[in-house]
Amino acid sequence: MVKPVKSDRISNLPWDVLNGILVHLPLRDAARTSLLSRKWRYKWASLSQFVIDDKCFPNSLPDKARWGEVRRIFHQVQSNHSGPIEKFKLAAYCYPDHSDLDEWIIFLTVKGIKELILQDFSSIRRFKLPLCIFSCPQLICLELHGCIFKLPSIFRGFNCLKSLQLTQVSITSETLERLIRSCPILERLTLLNIDHLAILRIHNENLKYLKIDSEFKDISLESSPLLAGVDIRMIPMDGTTMPRQLEEGNPSNLIRVLGCLYDVKKLTLSSYFIMFLANGSVPERFPTPLFNLSFLDIKEIRFNSFREVSAFFSILRSSPNLEELVISVGHSNEVIRPVVDFLKEQCLYDFFFTQLKVVRIRGLCGTRPEWEFLKLILAHSPVLEALTIVKYGIERFPESLLLHVERASENLKIMSLTL
């Protein structure tokens, strides 16, 4: 008796179901399905999503040899793909051939690409972005690395774009401003190590998250009312160590830049940017408090800089609903007497961190200004639940020193660690 042949249920599944399965596999594993049978030989090359990352290559393959493998994938897909390509991500350390990259981007635009992500090239030789990319009205996510970005005169905007990230991209301030304004539903904007930026004008009424880690001279956020998460690290331009000083009596950058962030919930600022914000007359507090701010992260603050400390406290006083405070301390053993006196004065004022529950301080050296700040936090935080202190060196911050310090909270737990 002849046994009936079992049907291949997986191979006979509808393509949208198979595609949904294969796109969740690493591309290298999806490509291995070509060994199953002749029917499966090119199924992987017709997927709707492609992610080419380090997992696609043997660990022994050098960066310079990787582009040959990437080119082979391009060729297989271009020769056998039918249907749309919704997502393409290239995040493998390699040395791209710009003519190959241009050809591939043109192919993707024809395929109706919605998410285009280019990351982590080994070499940053800027390539000119093909103009066809500006004719992709269906783009939802765009991440570009190492390109020259120029908008064509016919550009009418990315009406569907929600997320934009530019890394080591050459773009002028004017072009960037026009691009941001031309994305009406943009929610997330990330700018990392951008070339040629002088003034950043971030004007978008729908923007909710902003991250900047780059050189720039000035910034304006006044027309972005929905910003809820802001993370800014300002890198000195042209090797300068101090931001350009405003004339005495001029309004502070602090109010001009941060005073319009009425909806911000999470704020992360670097030390150099705080120096920039401290230019001009630093107010005791903002005209309108940041009522929604619940998380504040200050990186590399220098407790030997009076202007930095006064700007930091202006933000603190203007954040009545702050719940979590994270600080990393810039290394300096120099003690500035005006800073110590300023911190002592704050203890005498009748203002409290009434909602503050968690404080994490990293990189303490044990200087007098740091000690005065700790005493202030303990005495003016009635609902503080956790204080974590991480100290440089082999010795932890002695918790015994804090035993006799006035505490406003009865339920406080203190943890001391070392770096």
Side-chain angles (χ1 to χ4, degrees), residues 33-34 60 73 104 117 134 149 166 177 182 212 230 269 299-300 307 310 322 332 335 345 366 391 404:
T33 61
S34 62
S60 58
I73 294 172
W104 182 248
I117 301 170
F134 300 107
F149 201 108
L166 303 179
E177 180 182 4
S182 301
I212 301 171
V230 175
L269 307 173
K299 297 184 181 298
E300 299 298 316
R307 296 196 70 81
S310 60
L322 189 67
S332 176
V335 176
E345 288 175 5
K391 185 176 179 294
H404 304 293

Side-chain angles (χ1 to χ4, degrees), residues 187-376:
E187 295 181 356
R188 300 180 65 86
L189 174 63
T190 303
L191 304 172
L192 307 175
N193 297 316
I194 307 298
D195 298 343
H196 309 309
L197 283 183
I199 300 176
L200 274 170
R201 298 181 180 89
I202 311 296
H203 298 162
N204 186 295
E205 294 187 353
N206 196 65
L207 193 65
K208 297 176 176 63
Y209 173 80
L210 173 67
K211 178 179 174 65
I212 301 171
D213 188 340
S214 184
E215 295 181 352
F216 60 93
K217 291 183 179 179
D218 200 359
I219 186 171
S220 170
L221 304 174
E222 60 189 17
S223 299
S224 301
L226 298 185
L227 275 171
V230 175
D231 182 344
I232 301 178
R233 178 174 179 260
M234 186 181 196
I235 300 176
M237 294 192 74
D238 306 320
T240 57
T241 57
M242 290 288 290
R244 178 176 58 85
Q245 295 294 313
L246 298 175
E247 294 183 5
E248 193 63 34
N250 280 356
S252 165
N253 285 341
L254 194 64
I255 301 302
R256 180 178 61 83
V257 177
L258 299 186
C260 58
L261 299 180
Y262 306 121
D263 223 30
V264 70
K265 297 176 177 62
K266 184 174 182 179
L267 184 62
T268 300
L269 307 173
S270 71
S271 171
Y272 191 81
F273 189 59
I274 293 175
M275 290 170 59
F276 165 81
L277 294 174
N279 269 333
S281 301
V282 176
E284 182 175 302
R285 55 173 49 86
F286 293 10
T288 301
L290 304 176
F291 287 111
N292 292 304
L293 185 62
S294 61
F295 178 94
L296 178 62
D297 185 353
I298 303 295
K299 297 184 181 298
E300 299 298 316
I301 188 170
R302 300 178 307 163
F303 276 104
N304 66 340
S305 169
F306 179 81
R307 296 196 70 81
E308 279 189 49
V309 172
S310 60
F312 171 43
F313 267 81
S314 180
I315 298 172
L316 286 178
R317 291 193 199 96
S318 305
S319 309
N321 296 312
L322 189 67
E323 296 181 3
E324 186 169 354
L325 175 63
V326 179
I327 303 173
S328 64
V329 180
H331 183 64
S332 176
N333 291 318
E334 184 182 10
V335 176
I336 304 298
R337 188 69 202 181
V339 176
V340 175
D341 293 341
F342 174 82
L343 291 170
K344 283 184 173 181
E345 288 175 5
Q346 307 314 302
C347 286
L348 303 177
Y349 292 152
D350 188 24
F351 90 93
F352 290 84
F353 309 109
T354 57
Q355 305 298 319
L356 190 61
K357 297 177 182 178
V358 177
V359 175
R360 299 197 300 273
I361 307 176
R362 182 177 183 271
L364 285 182
C365 295
T367 65
R368 181 67 183 278
E370 295 168 357
W371 172 242
E372 294 297 336
F373 177 72
L374 278 175
K375 291 198 296 183
L376 173 65

Side-chain angles (χ1 to χ4, degrees), residues 170-182:
S170 179
I171 186 171
T172 66
S173 299
E174 295 75 18
T175 300
L176 180 61
E177 180 182 4
R178 181 185 168 199
L179 173 63
I180 294 170
R181 286 184 181 273
S182 301

